[in-house]
Amino acid sequence: MSERSDPAGAAQGGKFHCVTFILGEDLFGIQINFIREIIELDGITHVPMMPSFVRGIINLRGSVVPVIDLSIRFGRG
């Protein structure tokens, strides 16, 4: 996790934290206030007739959570 200056908030002296990840050779970042949690992947249940970027679902503490492949969702194949 890194701390970066926000161009819009820089005038106000504000900063924000973000999570960065790499897809292929590109670096992406998401502000941490948009992320609920990061978990280790245990096992995905395939769901038929879903879009190609939905890899399946997982059971997270009794809730069904979709698993999204960001490479495919961002059109990176």
Side-chain angles (χ1 to χ4, degrees), residues 41-48 50 54-59 65-67:
L41 192 57
D42 197 19
I44 301 175
T45 302
H46 177 72
V47 179
M50 295 302 292
V54 178
R55 305 295 272 176
I57 57 172
I58 61 171
N59 179 348
V65 178
V67 177

Side-chain angles (χ1 to χ4, degrees), residues 4-74:
R4 309 265 172 114
S5 292
D6 179 11
Q12 302 168 2
K15 291 188 176 188
F16 66 93
H17 291 88
C18 66
V19 173
T20 58
F21 57 96
I22 297 173
L23 294 178
E25 297 188 14
D26 294 319
L27 178 67
F28 294 88
I30 300 175
Q31 287 186 13
I32 61 169
N33 56 322
F34 293 109
I35 297 173
R36 187 174 301 160
E37 66 183 305
I38 299 172
I39 60 169
E40 263 188 69
L41 192 57
D42 197 19
I44 301 175
T45 302
H46 177 72
V47 179
M49 297 174 52
M50 295 302 292
S52 61
F53 61 87
V54 178
R55 305 295 272 176
I57 57 172
I58 61 171
N59 179 348
L60 180 63
R61 293 184 291 280
S63 296
V64 176
V65 178
V67 177
I68 308 291
D69 187 328
L70 292 177
S71 269
I72 295 172
R73 182 69 175 121
F74 290 164

